[in-house]
Amino acid sequence: MLARKNSSSRGAPGSAAGFGARESIAAISDMLSSQHKKPVRSSYVESDRVEWALKIACTISMITVCIHTPRTIELFQPLNYIILAADFISVSIFMLDSVLRIHYEGIFRCDSSYLSNRWSQFSVFISIIHLLSFLLHCYQLIDNFFPFLHLNYRAWYGAIRSIRPFIIIRLIPLVVKFKLPKNRIEQLLKRSSQQVKNVTLFFVFFMTLYAIFGIQLFGRMDYHCVQPKTDPNNVTIMDLAIPDTMCAPEGIGGYECPAPMVCMQLNLNAKGEGFYGMFNDFGASVFTVYLAASEEGWVYVLYDCMDSLPSYLAFLYFCTLIFFLAWLVKNVFIAVITETFAEIRVQFSEMWQKKEVTLDEGFRKKLEKTDDGWRLIRLDGEVEPEGPKQKLQWMLRSMYFQCFVIIFVVINAIGNAMFVYRHDETDKPRKYNFYLFEVGFTILFNVECIIKILCYGFRNFIRRGIFKFELILCLGSSLNCVKFFYERNYFTYFQTFRLLRLIKASPILEDFVWKIFSPGKKLGGLVIFTIAFICCYSAISLQLFYSVPNLHHFRTFPQAFMSMFQIITQEGWTDFVVEVLRATDDNLVPLVALYFVAYHLFVTLIVLSLFVAVILDNLEMDEELKKVKQLRAREATTSMRSTLPWRLRVFEKFPTRPQMAAMRKADSDFPMPKVRGSFTHQFAVDHSLETTDVIESDFEFPKRIMKSAGKRKISKSGLTFRQIGSTSLRCSLNNLLEMSDRTRQSLSNSLSFLPHFTRSSGSLYPRKDALPKSRSMTGKFLQTAVRNKQFNMYSENGDLSRPSDSAPKKNAKQGEIDIRALQQKRQLAEITRNRIEEDMRENHPFFDRPLFLVGRASQLREFCKKMVHSKYDSQDDGTNGGAKTKKRFKEIRALIGIMPYIDWAMATVTIVSCISMLFESPWPTTGENLVMNNGYLQISDYFFVLSMTFELCVKIIANGLFFTPKAVVRDVGGVMNLFIYFTSVIFLAWMPKHVEINSLAQFLMICRAMRPLRIYTLVPHIRRVVLEFFRGFKEILLVTILMIVVMFIFASFGVQIVGGKLAACNDPTVSSRENCTGVFWQKLFVTRLEVYGKDTEAMHPKIMVPRVWTNPRNFNFDHVGNAMLALFETLSFKGWNVIRDILWSRHGPWAVVFIHIYVFIGCMIGLTLFVGVVIANYTQNRGTALLTVDQRRWHDLKARLKMAQPLHVPPKPSESARLRTKLYDLTMSRWFNQAFALLVVLNSFTLVIPWNVEEEEQRATYVFTVTALAAFMNMLFVIEIILKVIAYTFSGFWQSRRNRVDLLITVFGVIWIFLHFFVALPSSKIDVDVQVELKKFTYTFGYLVVILRFFTIASRNSTLKMLMLTVIMSMFRSFFIITALFLLVLFYAYTGVILFPMVKYGMAVSKHVNFRTASEALVVLFRCLTGEDWNDIMHDCMRSAPFCYWNEGMNYWETDCGNFYGAIIYFCSFYLIITYIVRNLLVAVIMENFSLFYSSEEDALLSYADIRNFQYVWNMVDQEQKRTIPVERVKFLLRLLKGRLEVDPEKDRILFKHMCYEMERLHNGEEVSFHDVLYMLSYRSVDIRKSLQLEELLQREELEFIIEEEVAKQTIRTWLEGCLRKMRNPSQKDAEGVLPFGGGHPVIHSSGHSSISHEETVAQRLRFENIRGDSVDTEETESSEEETPPPIRKKAAVKNRRGSIPDVLSRTGLFQEAARKFMVGSSSEKKQVKSRSPETVQLLPKRANSEIRKGSGQPKNFHLQLNVYDLPDVEERGEDSPFSPKNLSDDFNGEHSPLVITPSLPVPPTHGSPRPLMPCETTKDIEKWWNSLVD
């Protein structure tokens, strides 16, 4: 039932524990189910001792499986026997536990037996695996001790131990106790697993799409640049180019090998090519696509594809792959995990509920009365100390002492960070001085800790968490001061972590950290889970791969742990996986690849998403706090500052000087005083410029203008003065009324929405978050409502009353928000500000005068205003109240209307100028492609500067420059506009020919590169994105500060432990600095391929280089600056594995722990802070973060309703067309659609091998087979189209867009079959060249058709369709975010071309990676955007002299040097702003859309089933598929609805009446659209007090109040009209209520009397027509039959017949229901009916039987006309009404059927016509509707 009372029970906000309706229902079911459970028997198997024994056994088993490897046992031989003994203990415990439980519970005795439980089955399985592992270990020892037995133990037998780490699953329930019932946990897991499964399916869909597209686009990329005489079957490393480069045959468009190299196809296997980057077959392509989607190593595949094919194809393919798979689809997992975690948080809220305590937990406060009044006194313990302790406590709590401690902490941190390793003899003495420095500070902090202990007492001291932390730091740093420990850095952690005390110094940062990391159970539990999962998977991998030869990553558990941890960080994980696959057996390669891909998929998409979910959950506010924040936000947005901005308040500093005017003498000689100029304007009408002769102003400048104007002879007419007398009084009154009316409208909140009903506005709901635009509201209803509301604005004494007085009076509950008070506050502030501005205009002549020169009302300014503010009005639905015109391309029109025309012109000019800047390049070094030396490139600059000059001039004249209300420079955007303009002008005027590095000219060029940011200020939506970013800048700044503190701590620690110790010789054979001299042969990197000679020392190419003792290339820890730079690179997961390997090789395993801890804390937690904060800020700026549960559901519902569209289901054919009916049922069946969906999948798998001529030459049979199979399937799709066309007819088939797409693709398929099999293949016998070219075309056309067909599978699966909508809507909603991102990247690209144009090639900079042109820079920056080795590019661009060619005075394009500091600022700012912040906005958009499309049916206010039900019903009523229906059909539609939208006219007759009246009045009797009715139903189906936000709630309440008032008036008016008729015709009182119909059966009117007394009048007013209609769908008929009782048929042949809408209407039961529902109580006078003629509704009569009795003598055709507001009156009668269902059923079971008639117009009888006529205004509409239904 659609009733608002039902919605009020959903999601009650009063549930403190977070349980909504669905949670409470489930909890009640759990309670009911638990009441019948038998009490658990306590036994020895459930004792604590057994539980502890199992915990010990699980722990022992986990430890032994982690150390049971041959390499570990080699390091410590007795470990072999220790493992054997420990395994014996654990196996014994497991077996004993199983035996005891079997003995106690039985095996298969009953349902509660041991093995009937799955958990017990798992325990038995794990116990058996442990037993087998123990026996295998014994077998290995026997083989080692008794080799003569020849047992032949193999190392790979140990793979059976890989199952043992799953023992951790058994340990979890022993350690973690869940409070929820078992079925609730199962429900949560089932729901979350289903969502993860669906999203994984969606991810697989996109992977399959890109895999098959990659196969056909790239195929076998086997061409390499080699020596001319190379054997393609036996390639050595000496045959390849240095470095190895892929190429393309001549004419294809790829890379061409330089002479004397040739491009040759090499025959290499998968291991030789390295698996990654192959598109040979489907498996290799899927593997490549997945690795590329991880954003690791994808650029190398891109570069190979760019060398093998035209570069634009490869770039488009990989850019879209990264965008869709890596940025959109994969981020859907974050949305899934966040939604699931929110559900889990609700269920486990009791476990994770925050304690209502602060850090001062041990200190309690009490209220005491002192001399100064009542105060809160904090007590230490229970005793108030006296004497010296009290003074010490006062000192410790004072602000001065806290500042003193903070200053010393900062000095200590800065002092430790100032040490710099110089790698000379001065390092040791300076290190000793810093040691003394640290000892002194340690003593100081120890004294502080001792004083606190003495002051508070140790018991009270240890209670506080902050004091515990300080005590631990003191103990650890004291141990670090010991010389032995200090040199070995065992306790350096405590010294560096002292800096964390600074967080306590900042209350804002402390609150932020407390909000993020509290409560600790969530984040701590997640950290423990992550570590346990990595350990478990590391142990599994250790046992699987420790026996693989030539694979050193899994020799010991630490190595396995580091390898699996590296996969989580994704840094270099592709190289690691390729190395493992190359070392694995060929038969096991697919399984090993699937193993690592599954692990990577889980840890990167689920585990890491859990961190984001935890952070977002911690940032989530409580429901009550949301309401408070929502109120504050509403006050901030609705209230307006009553003061002017400071740039306008400058006029207040000057004395007021109002403009005075002197009137000319009239007929009297008395002098007239001067009056204000504003007052004189009320009494003089200025028709011409000659009126200025009469007014003489005191202001000099206007006086001169007026005099000059007076000399002009424009018109002979003089001044027009107002008359004295009654005319003046009348005009004054009119003016006062107009003024009061304007004031009243400005003060009125209740009428604030009414102007939006006009046709000029075209929007019923003006707020952007309200429902989309409905039809306009005009006519009598609007006039009446406005008039009533205007009169209600006045009190009895004529004063203006409060606007809220016009609203319905309701007693506000405690805690509710007074919305009208907020709006009144805003309006009063607006009035105050307007008054201040008016005073400024009157008292300060220069106020609001652009440049203090242009007059306020000058014609030039008005003309410029029109130019500046003129734009396309996309909301204009009509002109001057005309009919609404239907416009196409509404989205494009709305896009055009977002900006004025002048801004569109400037945006176009800016884009053209930016495109011109793309062609600027420093290559060649002569500078001919620079703008300074190229006249063609200067054209766009001149055009841009001239256009912007014109724009600024016009805008300044219209709005002013600075000291005007709407000045051009009023915010940062205006300042940036002027900055871009002046830099462009200066550069254009200067045009420097000589530009050095770090010169003023180069800085000016960088400022000129900001030109793309000009679009930020022009496009309002992009400007809004920037504003949203800066609104959340506080939280982002706090996260940045927190990460800087963490980086500084670890950087300081890194300097302490490895500073000055990482330097080594570049010759790995030399270990000492003394021997690092001379030269040596350095190997060159040649290729990633596995070719002969790659690992041979003699064959590998080398180059002679000098030996150098130096630090690693990209990082060092010699001082804190370099250390922080290295850790910042590590923060992006880049280069940390290189730091790990170097620390391992040079300082052992202990140093590796440091980098792993930092990566885990800084990266996995720190980076998720950025993601969480950006998402939280985005939702807050969008207004969704502050929404309550009900408001968020309403917000999502509105968006879903906006995208819902009418169904295009074709009508079911009539029963006479049996073939079409059968085909209709066949094509609409579920198995038919599933079968063809399977055919689409099979058709797509024909692309598993490349379709090209080259592949045909190698495997002709396979290519012909798959193409023939694709052709056969395409013919099946042709049959599908034919069947649907026959079943639906072509017009019905064409109604669906999906059918149109299928038809188009099928036609393309038929064309391909003809061209390929009948043209291309036979042409091989005629001409070879023609055959090759034609086959290339047909193969390309064929696989494009198959790929297009593959897209249609998304429309055949509801899950894929919803997720596809999520991605598509995310793209549309993030359009401006992506545009802002691109513009910022474009600015960085231009800047990169200026800073690093000709940088020398290095490790990263190459022919593919450089900044020589802006287009190449865009490719590089897109690579950096994904984080792919951006740090290597930065270090190459940091190269400076003497490591590059540079002389003083050289231009920046003539040197190959970079810019050291410029590179650091450039790349670090780019990565921080774009990757950490802007890119995460996409995640926020996806999460918002995911909750919109993929929310649970239980969460939605209206489920998808309800919306689909409405679509089906709409499809029944709107048979013309016009998307609109007449307003008269709304009643018929409402009666057919089921589910939550069902409306029962008997039970909800008032609601039904209000809904019908709302539809007709809002749309003025015109047609209503699909969304109009759906929006109305959605408003009526929810509790608006809970679901709607403040302003929208006010508008809706006002609208419903007006509708309720008008309906009540109409009801009373109708009742009075009936009473008047009774009083006027008392003689007919006894005869009323009976109507002869048929054989004399009377028809009783709803009011108790008959409306028609003569049989002739009945013949004139009612006609029945025999109409044959098409049949409708089965579901439609069933829905109609469920609403009415099944009728009794006389003919059995038509008992269960399904029919169309007219057939449905013709049934007796439905006719009975129509007679009951369409009954009306009274009729109106002729005059009244004419006045309400647009409000009438023509309703469908329903045939009682298929045949009319011949002897009845009644006419066959009837028409029925009813009034809208009279419709539900019959339902006000009781159950004893003669028209109740019982009585009507009895009447219809007889021979004749009663019919209720309400005449609207008395028509005189016409005996001459056999078919009486209706009034023209009703007959035509009824016949038109009936004819449309018949057609």
Side-chain angles (χ1 to χ4, degrees), residues 73-94:
I73 295 174
E74 286 178 7
L75 298 176
F76 187 67
Q77 291 293 337
L79 193 62
N80 202 353
Y81 307 102
I82 297 175
I83 293 174
L84 182 66
D87 285 344
F88 176 76
I89 294 174
S90 60
V91 170
S92 300
I93 294 175
F94 291 145

Side-chain angles (χ1 to χ4, degrees), residues 629-664:
K629 291 277 188 180
Q630 192 177 124
L631 175 59
R632 292 180 180 176
R634 188 63 60 188
E635 289 179 348
T637 55
T638 58
S639 63
M640 191 176 182
R641 291 196 315 175
S642 59
T643 58
L644 299 177
W646 64 269
R647 57 187 173 83
L648 299 181
R649 291 202 299 268
V650 69
F651 290 97
E652 298 176 357
K653 305 298 181 182
F654 299 98
T656 59
R657 191 177 180 183
Q659 299 185 49
M660 306 297 293
M663 301 297 296
R664 291 274 183 96

Side-chain angles (χ1 to χ4, degrees), residues 54 177 325 479 549 588 595 599 694 877 1055 1333 1663 1761 1774:
L54 290 175
K177 302 296 183 181
L325 278 176
L479 292 175
L588 299 177
Y595 172 82
Y599 171 75
V694 184
D877 294 333
V1055 172
E1333 295 300 325
R1663 292 185 292 120
Q1761 181 179 9

Side-chain angles (χ1 to χ4, degrees), residues 969-1175:
V969 183
R970 63 180 183 273
D971 52 14
V972 181
V975 176
M976 189 173 70
N977 283 338
L978 291 184
F979 179 78
I980 293 173
Y981 173 71
F982 283 115
T983 52
S984 300
V985 171
I986 294 172
F987 179 81
L988 199 61
W990 184 9
M991 202 65 72
K993 305 293 183 180
H994 181 74
V995 183
E996 298 183 12
I997 297 178
N998 297 330
S999 63
L1000 179 62
Q1002 190 180 29
F1003 176 75
L1004 183 62
M1005 293 184 68
I1006 294 175
C1007 295
R1008 175 177 171 266
M1010 294 177 61
R1011 188 171 298 174
L1013 304 184
R1014 168 83 171 107
I1015 301 180
Y1016 279 21
T1017 61
L1018 294 175
V1019 183
H1021 293 74
I1022 300 179
R1023 186 165 59 246
R1024 189 179 303 120
V1025 172
V1026 179
L1027 291 176
E1028 289 177 356
F1029 166 74
F1030 281 102
R1031 284 175 187 169
F1033 188 75
K1034 175 184 175 183
E1035 287 77 11
I1036 296 174
L1037 182 62
L1038 291 176
V1039 175
T1040 306
I1041 293 173
L1042 183 62
M1043 295 310 302
I1044 290 175
V1045 171
V1046 173
M1047 279 196 299
F1048 188 86
I1049 291 173
F1050 280 92
S1052 179
F1053 179 77
V1055 172
Q1056 298 293 327
I1057 63 171
V1058 296
K1061 302 176 183 178
L1062 296 180
C1065 187
N1066 57 348
D1067 187 357
T1069 61
V1070 178
S1071 58
S1072 62
R1073 186 171 187 177
E1074 292 76 13
N1075 298 328
C1076 189
T1077 57
V1079 295
F1080 75 105
W1081 290 99
Q1082 175 69 50
K1083 286 185 176 181
L1084 294 176
F1085 174 78
V1086 178
T1087 182
R1088 298 175 182 270
L1089 304 177
E1090 285 293 330
V1091 295
Y1092 179 74
K1094 184 177 181 180
D1095 299 328
T1096 305
E1097 189 72 21
M1099 296 185 62
H1100 202 288
K1102 303 182 187 65
I1103 186 174
M1104 184 173 289
V1105 296
R1107 292 189 178 94
V1108 180
W1109 186 269
T1110 182
N1111 280 318
R1113 177 180 178 272
N1114 290 347
F1115 72 96
N1116 65 77
F1117 289 87
D1118 288 347
H1119 58 84
V1120 72
N1122 289 341
M1124 289 193 68
L1125 179 60
L1127 293 181
F1128 181 78
E1129 298 174 25
T1130 306
L1131 197 63
S1132 62
F1133 292 117
K1134 296 303 172 185
W1136 81 269
N1137 56 337
V1138 179
I1139 300 176
R1140 177 201 65 188
D1141 296 338
I1142 292 177
L1143 292 179
W1144 181 287
S1145 61
R1146 300 182 184 180
H1147 294 280
W1150 174 251
V1152 175
V1153 178
F1154 149 72
I1155 193 64
H1156 279 82
I1157 293 176
Y1158 173 75
V1159 169
F1160 189 83
I1161 295 177
C1163 302
M1164 300 187 66
I1165 298 178
L1167 290 185
T1168 53
L1169 278 178
F1170 275 100
V1171 180
V1173 168
V1174 170
I1175 294 174

Side-chain angles (χ1 to χ4, degrees), residues 423-599:
H423 299 276
D424 54 16
E425 64 278 358
T426 63
D427 288 346
K428 287 187 178 180
R430 289 189 296 108
K431 184 71 174 176
Y432 181 75
N433 295 334
F434 274 84
Y435 166 72
L436 297 179
F437 176 80
E438 177 60 29
V439 170
F441 274 96
T442 302
I443 294 173
L444 180 65
F445 290 117
N446 287 345
V447 170
E448 177 203 4
C449 186
I450 292 172
I451 292 175
K452 289 182 178 179
I453 292 175
L454 294 177
C455 180
Y456 297 124
F458 185 77
R459 178 176 299 177
N460 294 328
F461 177 86
I462 206 67
R463 288 180 182 177
R464 297 191 66 184
I466 186 65
F467 287 169
K468 290 178 186 178
F469 178 71
E470 293 176 2
L471 180 61
I472 295 173
L473 290 182
C474 290
L475 294 177
S477 56
S478 300
L479 292 175
N480 187 54
C481 290
V482 179
K483 192 68 175 179
F484 177 80
F485 295 134
Y486 185 80
E487 292 176 353
R488 289 161 179 78
N489 299 301
Y490 290 154
F491 297 98
T492 311
Y493 282 107
F494 301 98
Q495 171 189 334
T496 56
F497 275 93
R498 192 179 291 158
L499 193 63
L500 288 177
R501 296 185 62 180
L502 291 178
I503 298 177
K504 186 69 177 176
S506 175
I508 299 177
L509 187 59
E510 181 186 5
D511 294 340
F512 179 75
V513 173
W514 175 252
K515 181 171 63 174
I516 292 295
F517 296 104
S518 66
K521 280 188 176 181
K522 283 188 287 187
L523 196 57
L526 182 56
V527 169
I528 294 174
F529 166 76
T530 305
I531 296 175
F533 180 79
I534 298 175
C535 291
C536 178
Y537 227 95
S538 301
I540 296 172
S541 305
L542 179 70
Q543 299 300 327
L544 287 176
F545 302 107
Y546 77 86
S547 61
V548 177
N550 302 323
L551 188 63
H552 65 280
H553 296 288
F554 299 99
R555 293 289 181 258
T556 60
F557 179 76
Q559 291 177 332
F561 183 87
M562 288 190 298
S563 300
M564 306 311 289
F565 184 78
Q566 180 181 351
I567 295 179
I568 292 183
T569 63
Q570 303 189 74
E571 172 60 12
W573 84 279
T574 56
D575 297 333
F576 165 77
V577 172
V578 168
E579 185 178 354
V580 175
L581 294 179
R582 280 176 169 170
T584 310
D585 185 75
D586 293 342
N587 298 324
L588 299 177
V589 164
L591 296 178
V592 174
L594 184 62
Y595 172 82
F596 284 105
V597 165
Y599 171 75

Side-chain angles (χ1 to χ4, degrees), residues 1413-1583:
T1413 62
S1415 56
E1416 293 179 342
L1418 285 175
V1419 179
V1420 175
L1421 292 178
F1422 183 77
R1423 167 183 175 172
C1424 296
L1425 190 58
T1426 63
E1428 181 64 18
D1429 294 337
W1430 70 272
N1431 56 329
D1432 292 335
I1433 303 174
M1434 179 185 69
H1435 285 284
D1436 281 348
C1437 294
M1438 290 168 59
R1439 185 179 288 108
S1440 56
F1443 301 102
C1444 58
Y1445 174 72
W1446 176 81
N1447 290 323
E1448 189 173 354
M1450 294 180 64
N1451 291 316
Y1452 74 90
W1453 62 83
E1454 296 174 349
T1455 176
D1456 59 358
C1457 293
N1459 194 310
F1460 185 84
Y1461 296 104
I1464 295 176
I1465 298 174
Y1466 178 86
F1467 285 97
C1468 291
S1469 62
F1470 176 84
Y1471 199 81
L1472 178 65
I1473 295 174
I1474 296 184
T1475 306
Y1476 287 168
I1477 300 174
V1478 180
R1479 219 183 93 174
N1480 289 329
L1481 291 176
L1482 296 177
V1483 184
V1485 174
I1486 291 171
M1487 290 183 60
E1488 183 182 22
N1489 292 318
F1490 180 82
S1491 63
L1492 169 65
F1493 290 102
Y1494 211 69
S1495 60
S1496 173
E1497 295 291 323
E1498 301 173 355
D1499 295 339
L1501 296 173
L1502 290 179
S1503 63
Y1504 287 105
D1506 298 324
I1507 299 176
R1508 181 57 60 91
N1509 177 31
F1510 179 81
Q1511 290 173 327
Y1512 282 138
V1513 174
W1514 180 272
N1515 192 64
M1516 294 168 56
V1517 179
D1518 183 23
Q1519 287 196 342
E1520 300 87 354
Q1521 301 291 338
K1522 296 192 304 183
R1523 298 174 179 263
T1524 58
I1525 61 173
V1527 72
E1528 296 85 355
R1529 299 193 198 178
V1530 174
K1531 302 181 185 62
F1532 181 66
L1533 184 145
L1534 295 178
R1535 285 171 169 80
L1536 296 177
L1537 290 175
K1538 298 296 179 182
R1540 300 185 192 180
L1541 297 178
E1542 181 181 358
V1543 184
D1544 191 347
E1546 291 184 357
K1547 298 180 180 179
D1548 302 323
R1549 60 181 182 272
I1550 302 299
L1551 175 62
F1552 183 84
K1553 185 184 295 186
H1554 289 173
M1555 293 166 67
C1556 296
Y1557 187 84
E1558 178 179 353
M1559 281 291 95
E1560 181 171 356
R1561 291 311 194 204
L1562 288 184
H1563 304 283
N1564 199 25
E1566 300 175 356
E1567 292 186 344
V1568 295
S1569 66
F1570 174 85
H1571 291 97
D1572 292 335
V1573 184
L1574 191 56
Y1575 294 153
M1576 181 268 296
L1577 290 172
S1578 64
Y1579 272 116
R1580 297 288 182 175
S1581 64
V1582 299
D1583 185 2

Side-chain angles (χ1 to χ4, degrees), residues 1171-1272:
V1171 180
V1173 168
V1174 170
I1175 294 174
N1177 288 329
Y1178 175 81
T1179 54
Q1180 288 183 5
N1181 293 326
R1182 294 275 299 177
T1184 55
L1186 301 179
L1187 299 182
T1188 61
V1189 175
D1190 293 318
Q1191 290 173 348
R1192 181 57 188 268
R1193 292 175 182 174
W1194 173 248
H1195 181 270
D1196 293 341
L1197 175 62
K1198 288 189 295 184
R1200 281 197 295 268
L1201 297 183
K1202 183 179 180 181
M1203 286 175 293
Q1205 298 295 332
L1207 295 179
H1208 299 283
V1209 179
K1212 188 175 182 179
S1214 59
E1215 291 186 357
S1216 60
R1218 296 184 179 180
L1219 177 61
R1220 287 184 57 204
T1221 304
K1222 292 181 179 180
L1223 292 179
Y1224 184 90
D1225 296 335
L1226 175 66
T1227 54
M1228 295 294 291
S1229 62
R1230 183 178 180 182
W1231 69 266
F1232 182 84
N1233 294 325
Q1234 289 179 349
F1236 277 92
L1238 181 61
L1239 278 179
V1240 172
V1241 176
L1242 295 178
N1243 186 36
S1244 303
F1245 272 97
T1246 59
L1247 301 179
V1248 294
I1249 62 173
W1251 288 15
N1252 51 46
V1253 178
E1254 182 181 348
E1255 191 73 18
E1256 185 183 7
E1257 294 175 356
Q1258 297 179 2
R1259 297 189 292 179
T1261 305
Y1262 290 102
V1263 174
F1264 180 78
T1265 302
V1266 294
T1267 53
L1269 186 61
F1272 172 73

Side-chain angles (χ1 to χ4, degrees), residues 1654-1663 1755 1802-1815:
H1654 301 287
E1655 198 168 337
E1656 294 179 352
T1657 308
V1658 176
Q1660 295 171 1
R1661 295 301 312 275
L1662 300 178
R1663 292 185 292 120
V1803 182
T1806 55
H1807 302 281
S1809 177
R1811 298 180 61 184
L1813 297 176
M1814 288 284 293

